[in-house]
Amino acid sequence: MRAAIYHGERDIRVDDVDRPEIENPGDALVRVTHTCVCGSDLWPYRGEDDRDTPSRIGHEPMGIVEEVGEDVTSVEPGDRVFAPFVVSCGECEFCRRGLHTSCVNGDGWGGDNGGAQGEYVRSPHADGTLVRIPDRHADDEDTLRSVLPLTDVMGTGHHAAVSAGVGEGDTCVVVGDGAVGLCGVLAAKRLGASRVVAVGHHEDRLDIAEEFGATETVLGGSEGVDDVVGHVTDLTHGGAEHVLECVGAASAMETAAGVARPGGTVGYVGVPHGLDEGLDLFDFFGDNVTLAGGVAPVRAYADELLADVLQGTLDPSPIFDKTVSLEDIAEGYRAMDEREAIKVLVKP
């Protein structure tokens, strides 16, 4: 089969590799029809995270089940499915607690599982991992574009909102205008927030945040507000009780702490980077700001978010502003790296 392979900094190639096969009774083989490039894929691409070379890459698969092991009961060949960015068994202590990313039997999509930016993946623990899309929606391309973000960024933005404690009538601030931040805006509105302030560095992305329900936007950077923390604190009359940190950079975490109201909560889901010198916790400590969140257990949210997508009340698909074939995936990486695209959809 063909699959995207990481060969080093800014070097993504599509190579011929062995197609994965059923190895255990709980496995399923999925032919990938849709996948994506994730912002977290850009860290090794930019040389900012270590990664084996060569190695298969990608973690957001959607496709058609082609074969299942003898113990699989939840899906069968021909079913349209999507999968969260980690494999989980659905049965261990942590899966039962909704912490699927801490599954004691967990796994990823690279290596022998195929890499999700490729033509096939093998899903271990198929019953605990794969989410079936009902047949009546299985070939509706518009619906599939809306479902695909549930593999990662929509569930991650939702985890930020849940971790921050967003509820009916609340005011919240979303730090970050990438795919996760935009999905965080959607999630906050879905949970009932009456006021959502979106903070970012790209005017066009903040326009999408407004489409997604942001009541106010704040543009930082060289062409925006000089003192973002001060501006947002004034806007929220002393800070917000609920802050979603959706970037992971030290600067974003500092902004989140700065705009949090004393006694408030920061829900953080950005993959940490640029924290080599540590994070100054004094702003959290001094104002009794709670820090909650972490890697998003997307599988825990998949069923409820899927229900909303299928009934037409949730549509994160506008985050996909570029589509490429698998053979052209290097162009997708380049476009995201150079901020020409928010999130790239890939069609093997």
Side-chain angles (χ1 to χ4, degrees):
M1 73 171 192
R2 302 286 282 169
I5 308 294
Y6 171 77
H7 285 274
E9 184 176 341
R10 289 184 168 79
D11 188 1
I12 299 290
R13 309 176 203 168
V14 179
D15 297 336
D16 291 320
V17 299
D18 291 338
R19 194 180 88 167
E21 298 179 351
I22 298 292
E23 297 180 6
N24 298 297
D27 291 352
L29 181 67
V30 179
R31 176 172 57 84
V32 178
T33 59
H34 302 69
T35 186
C36 332
V37 179
C38 183
S40 63
D41 295 329
L42 295 180
W43 299 119
Y45 179 77
R46 293 168 175 160
E48 297 181 22
D49 277 355
D50 291 333
R51 187 182 182 95
D52 292 341
T53 55
S55 60
R56 304 185 197 185
I57 194 167
H59 54 257
E60 299 161 288
M62 172 189 286
I64 305 293
V65 175
E66 293 229 332
E67 184 181 353
V68 298
E70 60 185 14
D71 288 350
V72 175
T73 61
S74 63
V75 297
E76 59 186 26
D79 285 347
R80 173 83 65 175
V81 297
F82 70 92
F85 60 83
V86 295
V87 170
S88 55
C89 71
E91 298 176 347
C92 72
E93 169 194 353
F94 299 108
C95 286
R96 293 196 306 271
R97 289 171 54 190
L99 287 173
H100 296 73
T101 45
S102 296
C103 175
V104 299
N105 301 303
D107 203 349
W109 294 109
D112 292 340
N113 291 338
Q117 290 168 6
E119 293 180 321
Y120 289 86
V121 290
R122 177 180 71 94
S123 174
H125 305 290
D127 286 339
T129 301
L130 300 179
V131 184
R132 183 180 181 276
I133 299 172
D135 290 344
R136 66 183 179 278
H137 300 285
D139 297 312
D140 184 329
E141 184 61 28
D142 289 342
T143 298
L144 297 180
R145 287 177 66 94
S146 298
V147 171
L148 186 59
L150 274 56
T151 59
D152 187 341
V153 291
M154 186 63 232
T156 297
H158 182 67
H159 188 55
V162 170
S163 298
V166 177
E168 197 72 32
D170 286 338
T171 292
C172 67
V173 174
V174 179
V175 179
D177 58 7
V180 173
L182 294 174
C183 288
V185 171
L186 274 177
K189 292 298 291 185
R190 178 180 177 273
L191 291 172
S194 61
R195 191 176 184 199
V196 180
V197 181
V199 179
H201 290 89
H202 307 87
E203 204 162 356
D204 56 337
R205 299 183 180 197
L206 292 176
D207 288 342
I208 295 177
E210 288 187 339
E211 292 176 25
F212 281 0
T215 52
E216 293 129 296
T217 61
V218 176
L219 179 67
S222 59
E223 298 183 4
V225 175
D226 289 331
D227 180 8
V228 169
V229 169
H231 184 71
V232 173
T233 301
D234 288 344
L235 273 179
T236 54
H237 309 294
E241 292 277 0
H242 314 280
V243 182
L244 287 64
E245 190 286 311
C246 300
V247 181
S251 58
M253 191 67 82
E254 290 165 0
T255 297
V259 302
R261 201 175 195 84
T265 301
V266 172
Y268 76 105
V269 295
V271 178
H273 56 275
L275 298 176
D276 294 342
E277 298 180 3
L279 176 66
D280 185 355
L281 292 177
F282 190 80
D283 285 342
F284 293 92
F285 178 79
D287 282 333
N288 282 274
V289 172
T290 297
L291 183 61
V295 58
V298 171
R299 185 62 184 87
Y301 306 125
D303 294 318
E304 62 176 291
L305 296 178
L306 177 62
D308 280 8
V309 169
L310 297 184
Q311 70 181 5
T313 59
L314 178 65
D315 180 14
S317 65
I319 62 171
F320 293 120
D321 53 352
K322 186 178 182 67
T323 300
V324 299
S325 68
L326 177 60
E327 296 297 328
D328 293 328
I329 195 170
E331 165 60 17
Y333 272 83
R334 184 207 62 78
M336 285 183 61
D337 179 44
E338 297 181 12
R339 298 293 194 269
E340 292 178 10
I342 300 170
K343 190 166 181 68
V344 172
L345 191 155
V346 181
K347 288 194 169 184

